[in-house]
């Protein structure tokens, strides 16, 4: 269940609205006046692991910006099988096309760990974009980078060999993490890569034996020798 975050260290919350905005890359370089203007629009929320931010088919009534933590977007098919289509991390956001016209989500969003969200209602967002081209440009730039990320994932999935798919995915994920760690469970990785869990487990075991990765519990992989994966 989401909690509203009002002030730092109050009621389990981690920050006030000013801090929420400063932690979001698309807003962090704005001048104090603009930061204060955006802060007044933000509805901070806190989620625990496995909490649902929104469900597939639900109307998207604003923009969800990840302040801390991680959120996975899950999509199901007609047979009830679910696949993870994206992982949102700090600075990422989701709003569908709600900033332009009425829309509904095709995915369900689930918190993977304790996560803080800056939510900006749709009407406030539209007004903000119409009067501040700088922020509108930053959002357009983000969508452009998101398109590149989606293309990278498509290239990984196109790799026919399962080991190559796993290696490329690990490299891609660690490039986005300053500690070169992958904080996904093996089940989540398998669902993203379209592999059977047993197949993924065998490939990771080979990488571990070769000293290329280190397993860190159920949810954590450190890549120790990124370039060594090219030899497999």
């Amino acid at each position: 269940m989401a909690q509203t975050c009002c002030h730092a260290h109050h009621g389990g919350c981690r920050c006030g609205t000013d801090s929420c905005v400063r932690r979001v890359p698309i807003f962090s370089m704005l001048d104090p006046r603009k930061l204060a203007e955006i802060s007044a629009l933000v509805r901070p929320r806190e989620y625990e692991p496995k909490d649902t931010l929104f469900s597939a088919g639900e109307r998207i009534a604003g923009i969800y910006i990840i302040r801390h933590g991680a959120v996975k977007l899950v999509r199901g098919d007609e047979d009830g099988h679910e696949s993870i289509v994206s992982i949102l991390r700090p600075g990422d956001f989701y709003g569908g096309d709600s900033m332009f016209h009425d829309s509904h989500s095709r995915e369900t969003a689930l918190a993977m760990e304790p996560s803080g969200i800056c939510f900006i209602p749709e009407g406030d967002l539209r007004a903000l974009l119409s009067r501040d081209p700088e922020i509108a440009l930053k959002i357009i730039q983000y969508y452009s980078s998101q398109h590149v990320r989606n293309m990278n994932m498509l290239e990984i999935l196109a790799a026919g060999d399962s080991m190559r798919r796993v290696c490329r995915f690990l490299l891609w994920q660690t490039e986005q993490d300053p500690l070169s760690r992958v904080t996904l469970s093996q089940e989540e990785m398998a669902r993203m890569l379209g592999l059977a869990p047993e197949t993924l487990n065998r490939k990771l075991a080979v990488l571990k034996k070769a000293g290329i990765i280190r397993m860190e519990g159920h949810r954590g992989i450190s890549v120790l020798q990124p370039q060594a994966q090219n030899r497999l």
Side-chain angles (χ1 to χ4, degrees):
M1 182 68 66
Q3 297 179 343
T4 300
C5 178
C6 301
H7 299 286
H9 309 299
H10 180 270
C13 297
R14 303 190 180 191
C15 68
T17 54
D18 287 346
S19 180
C20 285
V21 172
R22 286 192 178 92
R23 292 189 184 196
V24 177
I26 62 172
F27 298 142
S28 61
M29 301 305 292
L30 298 177
D31 62 54
R33 180 185 61 80
K34 290 182 179 179
L35 281 174
E37 183 179 5
I38 297 170
S39 295
L41 306 178
V42 167
R43 306 292 183 267
R45 299 175 179 178
E46 296 287 325
Y47 295 87
E48 294 301 316
K50 299 184 179 180
D51 279 353
T52 300
L53 282 70
F54 51 83
S55 300
E58 184 176 320
R59 182 180 180 276
I60 300 299
I63 188 170
Y64 296 79
I65 307 171
I66 312 302
R67 188 177 72 256
H68 68 81
V71 172
K72 60 183 177 181
L73 298 178
V74 179
R75 190 178 297 178
D77 61 21
E78 295 178 354
D79 298 323
H81 299 124
E82 293 185 338
S83 60
I84 300 174
V85 297
S86 185
I87 304 291
L88 304 181
R89 302 189 185 280
D92 291 334
F93 58 82
Y94 183 91
D97 48 14
S98 64
M99 65 186 70
F100 304 111
H101 59 78
D102 187 38
S103 69
H104 294 76
S105 173
R106 292 190 292 171
E107 300 88 15
T108 294
L110 301 168
M112 299 172 62
E113 56 191 70
S115 301
I117 306 298
C118 291
F119 178 78
I120 302 179
E122 178 182 351
D124 292 337
L125 179 63
R126 288 181 179 178
L128 176 65
L129 296 182
S130 66
R131 66 176 178 267
D132 200 318
E134 182 181 359
I135 296 175
L137 178 60
K138 286 179 178 292
I139 290 179
I140 291 172
Q141 290 172 337
Y142 171 82
Y143 273 115
S144 177
S145 67
Q146 185 67 26
H147 175 70
V148 172
R149 288 167 58 180
N150 292 340
M151 293 302 295
N152 287 339
M153 190 63 200
L154 288 175
E155 290 180 3
I156 290 170
L157 292 175
D161 179 78
S162 56
M163 176 60 87
R164 187 176 303 172
R165 200 183 306 176
V166 171
C167 289
R168 287 183 178 180
F169 181 79
L170 290 174
L171 285 173
W172 180 55
Q173 287 292 298
T174 54
E175 287 171 357
Q176 302 177 63
D177 188 299
L179 300 178
S180 293
R181 293 182 68 250
V182 180
T183 56
L184 296 169
S185 70
Q186 291 187 31
E187 178 185 359
E188 289 165 340
M189 282 185 59
R191 287 164 63 186
M192 289 193 75
L193 291 170
L195 297 174
E198 299 79 9
T199 300
L200 175 64
N201 185 268
R202 288 195 298 269
K203 302 308 178 186
L204 293 177
V206 171
L207 295 173
K208 179 182 177 181
K209 185 175 181 180
I212 295 173
I213 65 172
R214 180 176 63 239
M215 309 296 292
E216 300 176 356
H218 177 64
R219 185 184 291 275
I221 300 173
S222 289
V223 178
L224 307 178
Q225 302 181 54
Q227 299 308 315
Q229 298 185 51
N230 296 326
R231 300 198 300 266
L232 295 176

